[in-house]
Amino acid sequence: MALLRNLTTLEIVQLQRQGCTAENWCLIKVRDHFSADTVINVQFSGRIEMGCMDGVFSQVGGFQKPCGIYRSTLHNCIIGNNCRIADATIASYTIGNNCLVEQVGGIYTDSHSSFGNGVEVEVLNEAGGREVMLYDGLSAQTAYIQAFYRHRPDTIKKLKALITQYSESVSSEMGTIGNDTRIVRCRLLKNIRVGASATVAGATRLENGTILSTPEAPTRIGDGVMAHNFIVAEGAAVRSGAMISNSYVGQSVELARQFSAVNSIFFSYSHCEHGEACSAFAGPFTVTHHKSTLLIAGYFSFMNAGSGTNQSNHLYRLGPAHQGILERGCKTGSNSYILWPSRVGAFSLVIGKHTHNADTSELPFSYLLENKQETYLLPGATLGNVGTIRDAQKWQKRNVMKGEIRTDMINCDLFTPYILGKILQAIEILKELKSKPADLYHYKGVRIKSSALETGIALYENAIHKHLGDCLLSRLENADFSSLMDVKHLLKPENEEGLGKWVDLAGLIAPQNKVDAILDQIDSNAFESPDSTNKAWKALHQEYDQLNWVWIIDKLEQQLGKKVAVWTTSDLIQIIEKCLEAVLEFNRQLLEDARKEFAPEIRTGYGIDGDQEIIDADFEAVRGDFEQHPVIVTLRDHSEKKKLISVSIIEKLKRL
């Protein structure tokens, strides 16, 4: 601290009169304008530095309390300006400016601590082997590589070496509390580092952890929270009795209402209450709200867990080594159960108890239904579910973390090359099954009725035509072209990057070969710190639009059976007309699905004391009118807009 000086003799005498003691008054340094008036009943030991203690702190209810240090014990502490410390015991801490620390049983650093950095979390496999090493800049993508890319042992070794090196660099015998932070009514904080503008109120015990926080994204730790070996990222909230151990709580994540997590990691915008997580990898937007819900030994992403959701990995012989995967966008119905190991395709709905190991990863947007202890699959069924679209819109709106502090790269698009690639695979699989006529088909642990297979193919093909055409329309909608050559120039990609298989790295959608290139850089020691990998993920995320178009145009070329260079206006018009037809059919299915929410049976329970007229009036007062519902209006507006755009572009193409 700049401009420090020793206490004057008069200040020492005044402090002693005010009930203060010190092992050695010479070890206490203060700022030039320090006043002893607001330091009362304090026991000092070790080296102490104190700033000016001016101003007041406003409390809930409008109470104001003066800055200063009251009825506290301080050992080896550096205190910033304009703080209030009262009824607290603090050892080996640097406290920033404008901080409030009050009614705290103990805050101390008792050894050389890394504050949760370097802790290894046994995710997915309870028997070990997929450990994720924590650090205070961990991204969902870096965690994903640690957990899932064990087939690249050198990459894992190098990545963990970078994190270990970083952990050692931030280790210290002094804890820190950032500027404008409030820590009140807590029992114990041991080996904890707290960022700026955080609030820690009523926590029971926090040990060996980091609480990241910024003025733009303040973090909150609330009543009854117990945490051990942890990192909580910016904008997160851990409150109302949540208990976490060996866990990472990512940016804007909320854990609350006695939720417990052991050996689990949660990434951006996840929200978990009441239930339990054990060895869970919860990617962005993982949501569970119910007391009886358990997420165990699994990978989840953009997931919504129904009440009583459960999985088990207990059908083993060599320890709890089984794991499961619910790909992005999955939902589970109440009391659903899945036996691990299993893998469920993206945007699927799981209903009932599933006691057979299944793999539906190549059949996204499906229903998994239980029937007489067997798993039946309705492929593509959720493509006609308006809730799927609503979820995608919801994720887009909530994905608002500031770019400068964002660590997780999240693509919230519903249709991406990753998902469309799965759909194309699904069409091939279903057509292959169809080539051998049967009433019931068996595929990787599930059963598919012939009628469901036919419907699935139609739904998948419609989704492909819709999205590929949509991308073409978006490319041409506001483009300036006056010849077919101009159009071909607009459509031709700059390179071939983006071709091939795409992957979903816990929210980041990217070509596999681009991901492998980053991992090769890690292998070759090209990165100096783990944050360098985050920058690489960010750069790859920013390339998405360009890489996506390369993949899209390749699929359009395959669909037409010829390269862009030889396309005709008729070819372009054919794609657009197919797209419009697919969009209108897609929206028609969504409207029909939404209409079910306004059916007569749904009105049961409304108008409790009236006749049908009152029931209808009560329902409309609460739920609104179908025709005026925002989702319905949006879908119809979207259909009309696509018609206008399609007609406009087709007319322009015909004039070329």
Side-chain angles (χ1 to χ4, degrees), residues 118-134 147 228-231 243-249 255 259-267 276-282 294-300 320:
V119 168
E120 288 197 300
V121 177
E122 294 178 345
V123 300
L124 291 162
N125 192 321
E126 288 186 274
R130 295 193 182 277
E131 295 82 3
V132 171
M133 184 176 284
L134 306 186
H228 176 256
N229 292 345
F230 69 94
I231 291 175
M243 297 173 286
I244 61 174
S245 176
N246 283 50
S247 294
Y248 179 84
V249 182
L255 307 183
F259 185 82
S260 75
V262 179
N263 280 316
S264 296
I265 53 181
F266 305 84
F267 292 98
E276 178 183 357
C278 180
S279 293
F281 188 128
L294 168 67
L295 304 180
I296 184 170
Y299 168 66
F300 313 92

Side-chain angles (χ1 to χ4, degrees), residues 520-538:
D520 290 342
Q521 287 182 285
I522 295 173
D523 290 350
S524 62
N525 300 314
F527 296 145
E528 296 181 354
S529 70
D531 280 346
S532 299
T533 64
N534 287 349
K535 292 177 182 177
W537 302 131
K538 183 176 183 178

Side-chain angles (χ1 to χ4, degrees), residues 106-159:
I107 303 177
Y108 62 91
T109 306
D110 70 347
S111 62
H112 196 75
S113 176
S114 60
F115 308 100
N117 290 277
V119 168
E120 288 197 300
V121 177
E122 294 178 345
V123 300
L124 291 162
N125 192 321
E126 288 186 274
R130 295 193 182 277
E131 295 82 3
V132 171
M133 184 176 284
L134 306 186
Y135 80 100
D136 59 23
L138 184 68
S139 67
Q141 286 69 51
T142 299
Y144 183 95
I145 296 301
Q146 289 189 65
F148 287 104
Y149 276 59
R150 293 294 168 145
H151 57 283
R152 295 187 59 139
D154 288 343
T155 304
I156 302 301
K157 182 179 179 181
K158 295 285 180 65
L159 193 53

Side-chain angles (χ1 to χ4, degrees), residues 266-394:
F266 305 84
F267 292 98
S268 295
Y269 310 108
S270 292
H271 191 142
C272 304
E273 297 185 1
H274 293 300
E276 178 183 357
C278 180
S279 293
F281 188 128
F285 294 103
T286 297
V287 176
T288 171
H289 284 289
H290 308 287
K291 286 184 178 180
S292 54
T293 296
L294 168 67
L295 304 180
I296 184 170
Y299 168 66
F300 313 92
S301 178
F302 296 82
M303 183 237 194
N304 195 319
S307 61
T309 292
N310 190 10
Q311 317 86 46
S312 73
N313 60 351
H314 294 151
L315 192 63
Y316 57 76
R317 294 164 181 80
L318 299 175
H322 297 165
Q323 64 183 49
I325 295 172
L326 269 64
E327 295 193 10
R328 71 158 48 199
C330 285
K331 291 184 177 181
T332 59
S334 295
N335 298 313
S336 70
Y337 166 84
I338 308 174
L339 175 67
W340 290 158
S342 288
R343 184 171 179 178
V344 179
F347 299 105
S348 292
L349 172 63
V350 181
I351 298 176
K353 187 173 183 179
H354 301 274
T355 57
H356 299 285
N357 307 119
D359 181 0
T360 68
S361 58
E362 295 169 323
L363 299 169
F365 296 99
S366 296
Y367 283 3
L368 279 77
L369 307 174
E370 176 202 357
N371 184 9
K372 296 179 181 179
Q373 298 185 333
E374 296 291 344
T375 298
Y376 282 76
L377 191 81
L378 303 182
T382 65
L383 281 167
N385 189 324
V386 71
T388 303
I389 305 302
R390 189 182 69 86
D391 285 342
Q393 294 171 344
K394 172 182 67 181

Side-chain angles (χ1 to χ4, degrees), residues 447-523:
R447 300 182 175 202
I448 307 173
K449 292 182 178 180
S450 58
S451 57
L453 185 143
E454 293 281 0
T455 303
I457 292 173
L459 287 166
Y460 284 142
E461 288 183 337
N462 195 68
I464 288 292
H465 292 314
K466 172 195 175 298
H467 188 69
L468 293 182
D470 252 350
C471 290
L472 179 65
L473 287 175
S474 297
R475 195 84 170 180
L476 297 178
E477 181 180 356
N478 298 312
D480 182 20
F481 58 88
S482 56
S483 69
L484 183 58
M485 189 62 69
D486 289 343
V487 175
K488 291 178 181 179
H489 181 73
L490 282 167
L491 301 184
K492 186 178 180 180
E494 297 177 5
N495 52 54
E496 293 189 349
E497 292 184 344
L499 297 179
K501 179 184 177 182
W502 283 55
V503 292
D504 177 1
L505 270 64
L508 170 66
I509 306 294
Q512 179 73 70
N513 59 4
K514 300 285 283 187
V515 172
D516 289 340
I518 293 174
L519 303 185
D520 290 342
Q521 287 182 285
I522 295 173
D523 290 350

Side-chain angles (χ1 to χ4, degrees), residues 59-303:
Q59 306 289 308
V60 175
F63 297 104
Q64 290 189 329
K65 294 185 178 181
C67 293
I69 307 176
Y70 308 91
R71 303 174 302 280
S72 297
T73 300
L74 303 182
H75 173 75
N76 286 340
C77 287
I78 300 173
I79 313 297
N81 294 322
N82 304 325
C83 293
R84 176 180 171 84
I85 298 173
D87 304 298
T89 298
I90 308 173
S92 300
Y93 261 82
T94 297
I95 299 175
N97 299 323
N98 309 309
C99 290
L100 172 65
V101 181
E102 191 167 36
Q103 298 179 40
V104 179
I107 303 177
Y108 62 91
T109 306
D110 70 347
S111 62
H112 196 75
S113 176
S114 60
F115 308 100
N117 290 277
V119 168
E120 288 197 300
V121 177
E122 294 178 345
V123 300
L124 291 162
N125 192 321
E126 288 186 274
R130 295 193 182 277
E131 295 82 3
V132 171
M133 184 176 284
L134 306 186
Y135 80 100
D136 59 23
L138 184 68
S139 67
Q141 286 69 51
T142 299
Y144 183 95
I145 296 301
Q146 289 189 65
F148 287 104
Y149 276 59
R150 293 294 168 145
H151 57 283
R152 295 187 59 139
D154 288 343
T155 304
I156 302 301
K157 182 179 179 181
K158 295 285 180 65
L159 193 53
K160 289 193 172 183
L162 288 174
I163 297 173
T164 298
Q165 180 182 343
Y166 174 81
S167 300
E168 291 172 351
S169 73
V170 298
S171 295
S172 175
E173 294 180 355
M174 291 284 288
T176 58
I177 297 172
N179 295 336
D180 303 298
T181 286
R182 297 191 172 206
I183 302 176
V184 297
R185 297 182 290 100
C186 297
R187 291 188 186 179
L188 177 66
L189 279 69
K190 177 183 176 183
N191 297 340
I192 300 298
R193 180 171 284 171
V194 185
S197 302
T199 298
V200 184
T204 298
R205 184 183 183 93
L206 309 179
E207 186 173 355
N208 191 34
T210 294
I211 302 169
L212 298 169
S213 183
T214 68
E216 300 78 19
T219 301
R220 295 165 292 149
I221 309 295
D223 286 340
V225 169
M226 293 187 284
H228 176 256
N229 292 345
F230 69 94
I231 291 175
V232 177
E234 299 90 343
V238 183
R239 57 186 181 83
S240 54
M243 297 173 286
I244 61 174
S245 176
N246 283 50
S247 294
Y248 179 84
V249 182
Q251 293 178 334
S252 295
V253 169
E254 183 163 354
L255 307 183
R257 292 183 173 86
Q258 296 84 46
F259 185 82
S260 75
V262 179
N263 280 316
S264 296
I265 53 181
F266 305 84
F267 292 98
S268 295
Y269 310 108
S270 292
H271 191 142
C272 304
E273 297 185 1
H274 293 300
E276 178 183 357
C278 180
S279 293
F281 188 128
F285 294 103
T286 297
V287 176
T288 171
H289 284 289
H290 308 287
K291 286 184 178 180
S292 54
T293 296
L294 168 67
L295 304 180
I296 184 170
Y299 168 66
F300 313 92
S301 178
F302 296 82
M303 183 237 194

